[in-house]
Amino acid sequence: MPEFTGYRRDDGRIGVRNRVAVLPTSVTASPIAEAIAAEADASVRATPHQMGTSQPDRAREQTERTLAGTGRNPNVGAALVVELGTETIAADDVADRIARSGKPVETLSIRAAGGTRAAVDRGAEVAAALADEIEEARRETADASELVFAVECGGSDATSGIAANPAVGEACDRLVEDGGTACFSETPEFIGAEHILAGRCADDEVRERLLERVDVREDMAALMGVDMRGAQPSPGNQEGGLTTIEEKSLGAISKGGTTPVRGIVDYADDLPVGGGLVLMDTPGYDVESVTGKVAGGAQVVAFTTGRGSTTGNPIAPVIKVTGNPGTWDEMANNMDVNASTVIEGDSLSTVGERVYDALLSVADGKRTAAERRRLEEFAINEIQPNELGELRGEAI
Amino acid sequence: MKGAVIDEVALVMTDDDTVATALADLEAGRELPVDGVDRCERDSVTLREDVPFGHKVALTAMASGDPVYKYGEVIGEAAATIDPGEWVHTHNCESRRGRGDVQEGEA
């Protein structure tokens, strides 16, 4: 059984990084959180975002769930939640939800601290103390079955569906065989292939839930005047050789591998450990989608790209996989795994093994290209529950 | 999913596929040896037209309405008669799942 070393947390989960997360409850607290992380220890990371001041209830709940989930991610050893003090989301509420995992959590109110300068000073002090506290953690051996591996794609081209995605899918299959959890998301990209996924669902309940989530995403797109089935594949996709929405979506879902779909969870909801292949209902926007899966507990992310991507995450390492030989050459310092060797005749199984090896060594501490360059983005998905509820005839 | 690379220039994703994906800009007249591909009942396919990188070439003859297989799945149906070696794209292959094609309640 493949193994790696990680940080055992009080709730039993295993982290592959040992970070202090500085979580702002709103856009107003975000610059303070960033300033705190910049002044504190190298292991401290902020998660600045645009939400949380005044959102409709369902949207606010999602923001709160995302923040609490990010704080509970096993890569986080301790957390500091920062509020201005006037938000609808209170730092104490988020902190309470994180504290249930047993890790040290502190809160900071910018108003109560005496304004921005005092808050940054106080916050940096608290974050540094938390960093000291978790520095005692030592890596111990863990089993691959304890990994929750999130997969994402962005900047797709013809090589994504034939090389990078199926290679990452092979790695997902290996992890699931070894007892771990693989998670892919981006519901808008299932459309056209949802019948294939529905056929792979472990039971009727998962199947119905999956198809319902596809319906909701289509309705949301329709609200913005987009006919997802009519608009796909895009002219750029077509130029690259993608003929139908089925073809595009089949390429997209191949990054999840071929095992049964064991469940589907909401955006930023907890992903099960040892759960096999689980989907998360997220939008197609890369950074928001990665954020949702990391909030769900994913310790490592693989990001496939054809045309190139630089994205990372403050909490989870992001492994870049490209199937495009040109991108591998031109963006060498942003890429981690070369899947374009499929084009020279390497089998997908060989390249999938390389992705799986990268997953294990990154879990074990090897830094990714995005980590080495401190490329870290964090964004919380915004939903418009009122409009959506109205469309679906639901009470808000 | 397992893929097979033909002559370093085309990729067949599964044994059930009726199209291969070009891994280079391919020119009309080029021969692709396909004796290892289950679905093909011939030793080679000759390209009837240019097929650009990332685009698809037919490995078998298809009648209008026949399913087109890639990834071992149906990606659409032939909108015209397609001969082996023809470029397969929006001009001769249509989605079965575009809006309007989906039965009420199916999705």
Side-chain angles (χ1 to χ4, degrees):
Chain A
M1 178 67 69
E3 291 178 334
F4 67 99
T5 62
Y7 303 95
R8 181 72 60 192
R9 306 301 181 194
D10 286 352
D11 63 359
R13 293 198 180 198
I14 193 109
V16 304
R17 295 294 182 270
N18 198 30
R19 306 253 197 259
V20 175
V22 183
L23 305 159
T25 65
S26 70
V27 62
T28 47
S30 288
I32 306 299
E34 283 185 287
I36 289 169
E39 289 204 11
D41 186 87
S43 65
V44 181
R45 294 289 188 283
T47 62
H49 61 88
Q50 306 296 315
M51 306 299 158
T53 39
S54 180
Q55 292 183 274
D57 279 353
R58 281 164 60 186
R60 179 188 49 73
E61 282 159 19
Q62 178 171 281
T63 298
E64 202 169 343
R65 183 168 75 242
T66 307
L67 293 170
T70 304
R72 275 201 311 274
N73 185 294
N75 293 352
V76 173
L80 168 62
V81 188
V82 182
E83 64 178 16
L84 173 61
T86 63
E87 296 96 334
T88 49
I89 297 178
D92 280 343
D93 291 342
V94 176
D96 285 348
R97 290 171 68 169
I98 297 170
R100 275 179 233 149
S101 63
K103 64 185 72 169
V105 189
E106 300 286 347
T107 59
L108 177 72
S109 161
I110 298 164
R111 287 178 78 239
T116 56
R117 189 64 250 168
V120 172
D121 290 345
R122 176 74 193 132
E125 231 171 79
V126 174
L130 289 169
D132 277 352
E133 197 174 334
I134 64 167
E135 201 164 308
E136 288 169 14
R138 291 287 172 269
R139 283 187 179 265
E140 59 180 75
T141 303
D143 194 287
S145 64
E146 299 191 68
L147 284 173
V148 179
F149 179 39
V151 301
E152 180 75 28
C153 68
S156 301
D157 69 6
T159 65
S160 300
I162 60 178
N165 287 354
V168 167
E170 286 269 345
C172 287
D173 284 352
R174 280 164 199 250
L175 179 64
V176 168
E177 195 182 326
D178 287 337
T181 301
C183 172
F184 77 102
S185 62
E186 297 176 283
T187 311
E189 300 204 1
F190 305 165
I191 296 171
E194 74 271 21
H195 60 299
I196 310 277
L197 285 175
R200 279 171 48 193
C201 285
D203 59 48
D204 288 345
E205 199 186 326
V206 175
R207 186 174 305 117
E208 278 162 27
R209 200 165 147 69
L210 168 73
L211 294 175
E212 187 243 320
R213 299 317 296 177
V214 167
D215 266 357
V216 171
R217 290 282 167 189
E218 274 200 272
D219 289 349
M220 287 166 90
L223 273 175
M224 294 183 279
V226 178
D227 172 357
M228 301 206 66
R229 287 174 201 266
Q232 294 289 344
S234 68
N237 292 150
Q238 290 186 22
E239 203 182 305
L242 296 174
T243 304
T244 62
I245 188 170
E246 294 95 311
E247 185 183 11
K248 181 180 178 179
S249 295
L250 282 162
I253 67 169
S254 69
K255 66 183 177 291
T258 58
T259 61
V261 178
R262 297 283 173 202
I264 178 163
V265 302
D266 280 340
Y267 183 84
D269 246 354
D270 285 345
L271 291 162
V273 176
L277 180 64
V278 178
L279 311 189
M280 181 179 281
D281 177 30
T282 74
Y285 310 119
D286 301 339
V287 176
E288 293 177 16
S289 180
V290 168
T291 294
K293 285 175 285 193
V294 172
Q299 304 113 313
V300 184
V301 181
F303 192 113
T304 62
T305 183
R307 304 181 66 193
S309 161
T310 59
T311 200
N313 181 273
I315 305 301
V318 177
I319 301 168
K320 288 296 167 19
V321 182
T322 186
N324 184 319
T327 300
W328 175 256
D329 288 340
E330 287 153 20
M331 293 188 68
N333 59 14
N334 291 111
M335 296 294 139
D336 297 288
V337 179
N338 183 8
S340 76
T341 57
V342 165
I343 291 167
E344 289 140 28
D346 257 4
S347 72
L348 284 170
S349 148
T350 303
V351 183
E353 194 173 323
R354 214 183 300 144
V355 176
Y356 194 40
D357 287 346
L359 163 63
L360 290 165
S361 61
V362 165
D364 205 44
K366 186 183 177 188
R367 289 190 305 161
T368 64
E371 281 184 298
R372 285 198 295 275
R373 288 163 188 81
R374 288 295 299 264
L375 298 166
E376 300 166 349
E377 296 96 55
F378 188 89
I380 300 174
N381 173 235
E382 182 171 26
I383 48 175
Q384 302 292 344
N386 289 355
E387 287 92 328
L388 186 66
E390 189 171 317
L391 182 86
R392 297 181 66 77
E394 292 167 359
I396 304 300
Chain B
M1 239 180 290
K2 310 288 176 209
V5 174
I6 304 170
D7 215 14
E8 297 181 9
V9 295
L11 179 67
V12 187
M13 300 298 291
T14 78
D15 288 343
D16 288 333
D17 290 0
T18 55
V19 293
T21 303
L23 298 176
D25 289 329
L26 304 182
E27 285 180 13
R30 173 155 193 155
E31 271 197 26
L32 295 178
V34 291
D35 47 337
V37 181
D38 283 7
R39 179 74 73 144
C40 298
E41 291 162 351
R42 63 199 74 218
D43 290 339
S44 72
V45 164
T46 305
L47 262 59
R48 290 173 169 263
E49 53 204 316
D50 293 350
V51 178
F53 174 84
H55 287 243
K56 293 173 292 299
V57 55
L59 296 176
T60 64
M62 289 173 255
S64 184
D66 277 357
V68 178
Y69 285 90
K70 182 183 172 184
Y71 301 113
E73 301 287 351
V74 178
I75 60 160
E77 63 185 35
T81 303
I82 301 176
D83 289 325
E86 266 189 56
W87 173 41
V88 177
H89 200 31
T90 47
H91 60 290
N92 58 7
C93 173
E94 278 180 8
S95 171
R96 282 184 167 181
R97 300 184 62 81
R99 184 172 296 285
D101 297 326
V102 177
Q103 295 297 311
E104 190 69 31
E106 185 187 319

